[in-house]
């Protein structure tokens, strides 16, 4: 009996651990697609703006950096951050009209060279990185006063942004982030101690349980005088009586 109980306990523990691992793995690689907000495109000069609803600038920038390591990443800032890659610049900006949201602007190197203000980027990136961004056309760049999507009404790019069409969405580069979950080991809190002491399916009848937990004693001598659902009283033989009866037919009233 004890071996069977021990075997059942091991199976229950293995099932619990397997469930925890599966739930953790299910959350470990979740692709979150940011919706496309606006598009500015002229040949190879492209700019796509995505919206990260309810996320802050540092959090979004860190997620993008974890997904794909940039050549350079600007210092953490609650309003604006930059990530530089081989052929594009990602500007992560707080939406001034909806501060709880973050806008992700993905600009091609040609778009940066044609539209950005190099002096504006000097406050965020190193000189060598800025030089590489603006040398897309054999050492010559058009330049501009553009400073990002959040200020495009003041610092206008050469090509205006527009709402994305179905074709724009199809051509836009996918922007996904892998988020990971964690499996936490339960601590010995007061609630867990209470559940341990109160008796469970695995510790019924143990010597450490308190008076509130019941026990099941089958075949014990101590309960011979009292009956119960699990321990019926041990009487010698059930008493029976014999008698005769008659069958009477009901009369009509």
């Amino acid at each position: 009996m004890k071996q069977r109980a021990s075997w059942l306990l091991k199976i229950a523990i293995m099932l619990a651990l397997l469930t925890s691992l599966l739930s953790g793995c299910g959350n470990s690689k979740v692709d979150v697609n940011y919706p496309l907000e606006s598009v500015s495109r002229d040949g190879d000069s492209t700019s796509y703006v995505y919206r990260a609803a309810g996320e802050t600038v540092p959090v979004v920038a860190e997620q993008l950096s974890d997904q794909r390591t940039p050549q350079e990443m600007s210092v953490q800032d609650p309003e604006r951050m930059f990530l530089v890659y081989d052929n594009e610049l990602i500007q992560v900006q707080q939406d001034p009209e909806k501060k709880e949201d973050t806008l992700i602007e993905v600009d091609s190197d040609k778009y940066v060279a044609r539209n950005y203000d190099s002096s504006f980027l000097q406050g965020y990136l190193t000189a060598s990185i800025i030089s590489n961004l603006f040398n897309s056309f054999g050492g010559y760049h058009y330049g501009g006063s553009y400073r990002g999507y959040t200020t495009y009404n003041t610092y206008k790019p050469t090509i205006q942004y527009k709402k994305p069409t179905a074709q724009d969405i199809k051509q836009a580069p996918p922007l996904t982030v892998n988020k990971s979950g964690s499996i936490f080991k339960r601590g010995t809190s007061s609630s867990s101690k209470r559940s341990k002491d109160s008796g469970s399916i695995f510790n019924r009848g143990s010597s450490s349980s308190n008076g509130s937990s019941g026990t099941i004693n089958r075949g014990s001598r101590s309960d011979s005088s009292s009956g119960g659902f699990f321990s019926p009283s041990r009487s010698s033989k059930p008493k029976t009586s014999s008698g005769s009866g008659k069958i009477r037919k009901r009369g009509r009233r």
Side-chain angles (χ1 to χ4, degrees):
M1 190 69 183
K2 289 183 179 180
Q3 291 180 351
R4 184 180 179 184
S6 176
W7 182 70
L8 291 174
L9 175 60
K10 290 178 180 178
I11 291 178
I13 293 174
M14 290 175 64
L15 289 174
L17 289 173
L18 181 61
T19 302
S20 300
L21 288 172
L22 289 176
S23 62
C25 292
N27 294 330
S28 62
K29 291 184 178 181
V30 181
D31 290 338
V32 181
N33 295 305
Y34 294 123
L36 187 62
E37 185 87 357
S38 296
V39 174
S40 178
R41 181 159 46 89
D42 181 19
D44 293 338
S45 176
T46 59
S47 177
Y48 296 93
V49 179
Y50 303 82
R51 178 175 295 274
E55 297 190 55
T56 63
V57 170
V59 168
V60 173
E62 189 66 29
Q63 290 173 354
L64 296 174
S65 175
D66 290 341
Q67 181 194 17
R68 185 161 57 109
T69 304
Q71 293 179 355
E72 185 175 340
M73 180 176 176
S74 63
V75 296
Q76 190 175 103
D77 186 273
E79 295 183 357
R80 193 186 304 268
M81 293 180 66
F82 291 89
L83 292 86
V84 182
Y85 296 94
D86 290 335
N87 57 354
E88 66 184 16
L89 173 71
I90 296 182
Q91 184 176 173
V92 186
Q93 317 157 55
Q94 183 186 56
D95 187 352
E97 297 180 359
K98 197 174 182 182
K99 294 186 180 297
E100 64 271 20
D101 289 359
T102 294
L103 299 175
I104 308 166
E105 181 180 351
V106 183
D107 300 323
S108 67
D109 53 357
K110 292 180 175 59
Y111 187 89
V112 173
R114 288 182 180 179
N115 295 279
Y116 269 82
D117 179 9
S118 60
S119 61
F120 165 68
L121 293 175
Q122 289 174 7
Y124 299 93
L125 304 172
T126 59
S128 60
I129 291 292
I130 296 174
S131 177
N132 291 335
L133 285 171
F134 283 90
N135 286 338
S136 301
F137 303 117
Y140 177 80
H141 66 271
Y142 295 94
S145 60
Y146 182 71
R147 297 188 177 187
Y149 182 74
T150 57
T151 59
Y152 77 92
N153 287 325
T154 304
Y155 303 98
K156 297 184 182 297
T158 56
I159 305 172
Q160 292 296 317
Y161 282 93
K162 63 182 179 67
K163 289 291 181 181
T165 62
Q167 186 67 20
D168 291 330
I169 294 174
K170 189 179 296 185
Q171 293 180 357
L175 192 63
T176 59
V177 175
N178 295 326
K179 295 186 178 181
S180 59
S182 301
I183 300 174
F184 297 95
K185 187 177 180 181
R186 292 180 180 177
T188 56
S189 60
S190 59
S191 60
S192 62
K193 288 181 180 179
R194 283 199 303 271
S195 63
K196 183 178 180 181
D197 294 336
S198 60
S200 66
I201 190 172
F202 300 120
N203 63 3
R204 287 179 181 171
S206 61
S207 59
S208 61
S209 61
N210 55 21
S212 62
S213 61
T215 59
I216 302 174
N217 299 316
R218 290 189 176 92
S220 174
R221 297 279 183 183
S222 61
D223 59 353
S224 60
S225 61
S226 62
F229 183 78
F230 295 106
S231 56
S233 60
R234 292 175 174 270
S235 58
S236 58
K237 288 184 178 180
K239 293 182 179 181
T240 59
S241 60
S242 61
S244 61
K246 295 181 180 181
I247 301 174
R248 295 180 180 178
K249 187 178 181 181
R250 291 182 179 180
R252 297 182 180 178
R253 293 182 179 180

